[in-house]
Amino acid sequence: MKKENLEDIIKKVSHLSKLAMSEDDLGDYLKKAKSIISYVEQLNELNTDNVEPMSHAFDVKGSLREDAVTDSKTAEKILKNAPEADGNLFAVPRVIEES
Amino acid sequence: MSDLYKKTICELSKLLAKKEISSLELTKSYLDRIKKLDPSINSYILRCEENAIKDAKRADKTIETGRDITQLTGVPIALKDIFITKDIETTCGSKILKGYIPPYNGTVVQKLIDAGSVLLGKLNMDEFAMGSSNEHSAFGAVKNPWNKNMVPGGSSGGSAAAVSAGLCAASLGTDTGGSIRLPASFCNIVGLKPTYGRVSRYGIIAFASSLDQVGPMTFTVEDCAIVLKTIAGHDPNDATSLNEPVPDYTKYLKKDIKGLKIGKPKEYFIEGIDPEIVTKIEQGIDDLKKLGAKIIDISLPHTKYAIPAYYIIAPAEASSNLARYDGIRYGHRSKKLSDITELFENSRTEGFGSEVTLRIIIGTYVLSSGYYDAYYLKAQKVRALIRDDFKDAFKKCDAIVAPVTPTPPFKLGENKADPLKMYLADIFTISVNLAGLPGISVPCGFTKKNLPIGMQLIGRPLDEGMLLHIGYAYEQANAWYKRRPEYE
């Protein structure tokens, strides 16, 4: 595993997860993250070389259902929840600059 | 009729069926109590008065016709605000979802409506169900009705406090690492986390999808069985829900537990647990023995690794689930936005509280390139070891008995600043979620300071019936639920 400075990692992952971190907040999150990361690293005491990873409680096979049309006349209600809408569309600030 | 708020679902449904009370009268009596008493507890985020009156009138009509009556018909309940409710604001305890009005009902909500229950309102919770004290709510902390300086537990703290305080006849919570069982134990009520997949998650706001499960929070084990039988079952809208028949859980309520083998894991009785908890659980175990159960010493050797594994897996899943809150389709949008990146960043930063932010950061980190194997994959392997511990143990016993928490209810503010200290409150509940098993918390006594303590029973996959059976037998011999808090 490459070793990076935890402060740099937190700055990077905040950016990746679209969180704007102020310098003040960064210090607090860094302190908390440090203690959590060092705590979870006790898993390294265990040898897990021959263990299959488990992502779900049970081996449930994906179940298929009919691709049926159901009542979805909720567009108006859905758009009502949007902070900004334009007709039948969600409105956002301009994403692509005019050339 | 006086003291209606002390009655169980079972008692209320009989009164309703005999028309000794109407659902409307009953509902109004609860609404009055909530208005008068909840300001000191803060268990409700939203009261649904109009909706409740409408539900009650509909229930009274059903009772009048005498058709399609269930034990929940006309019974006033309330839901943790993580349940999607059509046309009723649903916030998940977060500022980022303030004002969100869902266009549909989740499966469990629809089942409760179909059963004829009355929805009184939406209950307070830790933001996105992340917390063990209900202090991480955008709508303020909830107070424990047994002592208002204490936390009610979390994350379903509003649900536990509301039932305990007689502000609804029953409630529902969700449990990702202990969020039903812990607050149930802190408030002297029964809380059941069913087997993963037993109850549909469709219409439950997702926290950690491989761990989340819905369950009843009630006064008694019998009430718990009634609610579970209403909400359990396969749902095509939740691909992880189990396609297994739903038994009539009330059939398991028997007083005789002779010959049942109950395992006592040595790793759950270690140094550092509050001595009053140990005393009460040992007493509970003695009572189970007196009722005819055989107590067997067992070992769950990987117990101490459950919290570290959970605090990789749960934040990882949460960081992915919470990516949807982007300020575009619903919820909070920042006013400070000059471009799309600022819209995302400022909306999320302003909308999420500090604990949620911390978990998104941890979750993104453990999934990020270069760290995935060391953290996430490692935790998934340890999760398998924890599941296998239980598999081995259940070869020797029918159920497992353990404490729910290492301490009684703690003071408001006591653990809030130190996340690791808060996480340790879940030390005895978290393994059950990782393994996907059912677990129940049943009241088992009080500390010298009159704070509730709960006893945990853990079962094999889909063996909720066994937990209800043992819990009911214990409750019949030790009716702690009859004690109610004097907080008014």
Side-chain angles (χ1 to χ4, degrees), chain B residues 271-425:
Chain B
E271 231 174 279
I273 308 174
D274 188 285
E276 286 197 272
I277 300 265
V278 178
T279 310
K280 291 294 165 189
I281 301 296
E282 294 287 1
Q283 238 170 52
I285 292 174
D286 276 344
D287 289 332
L288 294 173
K289 262 191 232 167
K290 278 181 210 151
L291 291 164
K294 207 173 155 202
I295 305 299
I296 291 168
D297 289 324
I298 56 164
S299 172
L300 299 164
H302 296 95
T303 298
K304 77 173 244 207
Y305 300 103
I307 292 187
Y310 178 91
Y311 277 98
I312 292 171
I313 293 167
E317 293 185 18
S319 71
S320 166
N321 274 326
L322 271 57
R324 72 191 63 175
Y325 304 102
D326 54 12
I328 291 177
R329 292 156 298 158
Y330 38 70
H332 175 74
R333 176 183 287 194
S334 175
K335 301 241 174 339
K336 290 179 282 176
L337 54 104
S338 55
D339 59 27
I340 191 80
T341 305
E342 267 193 39
L343 187 161
F344 291 145
E345 287 191 347
N346 293 334
S347 302
R348 286 166 64 78
T349 307
E350 291 165 16
F352 289 135
S354 63
E355 181 62 24
V356 172
T357 302
L358 176 65
R359 296 206 197 183
I360 293 174
I361 289 169
I362 300 281
T364 310
Y365 172 37
V366 298
L367 288 176
S368 64
S369 151
Y371 299 97
Y372 181 94
D373 286 3
Y375 292 114
Y376 188 63
L377 194 66
K378 181 82 186 179
Q380 285 191 311
K381 290 180 171 189
V382 174
R383 184 177 180 183
L385 295 175
I386 290 165
R387 172 200 58 198
D388 294 345
D389 279 357
F390 281 104
K391 268 190 187 164
D392 288 342
F394 280 121
K395 285 175 191 156
K396 295 179 209 137
C397 57
D398 302 302
I400 292 170
V401 63
V404 182
T405 57
T407 69
F410 44 88
K411 281 202 184 82
L412 285 152
E414 192 177 322
N415 292 340
K416 202 185 168 193
D418 184 348
L420 214 49
K421 241 175 114 188
M422 187 74 88
Y423 298 171
L424 290 172

Side-chain angles (χ1 to χ4, degrees), chain A residues 20 41 45-46 77 81 91, chain B residues 87 101 305 333 349 375 378:
Chain A
E41 281 178 351
E45 294 165 13
L46 292 170
K77 280 187 178 181
N81 279 303
Chain B
D87 299 333
I101 313 284
Y305 300 103
R333 176 183 287 194
T349 307
Y375 292 114
K378 181 82 186 179

Side-chain angles (χ1 to χ4, degrees), chain A residues 1-4 6 9-10 12-21 25 28-29 32-33 35-37 39-58 60-63 65 74 77-79 81-84 90-95, chain B residues 86-87 99-101 103 195-196 210 236 239-240 242 302 304-305 307-309 312 327-331 333 337 340 343-345 348-349 354 357-358 360-362 364-365 369-371 374-375 377-385 387 417 419-420 423-424 434 436 461:
Chain A
M1 182 173 58
K2 61 185 180 195
K3 271 281 173 194
E4 279 175 82
L6 191 60
I9 293 174
I10 290 193
K12 193 175 102 189
V13 296
S14 312
H15 173 71
L16 288 173
S17 48
K18 297 283 180 277
L19 293 162
M21 189 83 41
D25 289 344
D28 188 43
Y29 287 119
K32 288 175 173 166
S35 76
I36 294 166
I37 294 294
Y39 181 75
V40 301
E41 281 178 351
Q42 61 177 296
L43 295 186
N44 295 328
E45 294 165 13
L46 292 170
N47 182 333
T48 51
D49 288 351
N50 298 313
V51 182
E52 276 297 309
M54 168 184 175
S55 57
H56 258 277
F58 308 109
V60 183
K61 297 214 168 54
S63 60
R65 59 185 151 86
T74 47
K77 280 187 178 181
I78 289 169
L79 282 156
N81 279 303
E84 206 188 332
F90 295 112
V92 295
R94 180 178 292 279
V95 178
Chain B
K86 189 178 180 181
D87 299 333
Y100 172 58
I101 313 284
T195 308
Y196 180 80
S210 81
T240 62
L242 297 169
H302 296 95
K304 77 173 244 207
Y305 300 103
I307 292 187
I312 292 171
I328 291 177
R329 292 156 298 158
Y330 38 70
R333 176 183 287 194
L337 54 104
I340 191 80
L343 187 161
F344 291 145
E345 287 191 347
R348 286 166 64 78
T349 307
S354 63
T357 302
L358 176 65
I360 293 174
I361 289 169
I362 300 281
T364 310
Y365 172 37
S369 151
Y371 299 97
Y375 292 114
L377 194 66
K378 181 82 186 179
Q380 285 191 311
K381 290 180 171 189
V382 174
R383 184 177 180 183
L385 295 175
R387 172 200 58 198
L420 214 49
Y423 298 171
L424 290 172
L434 290 169

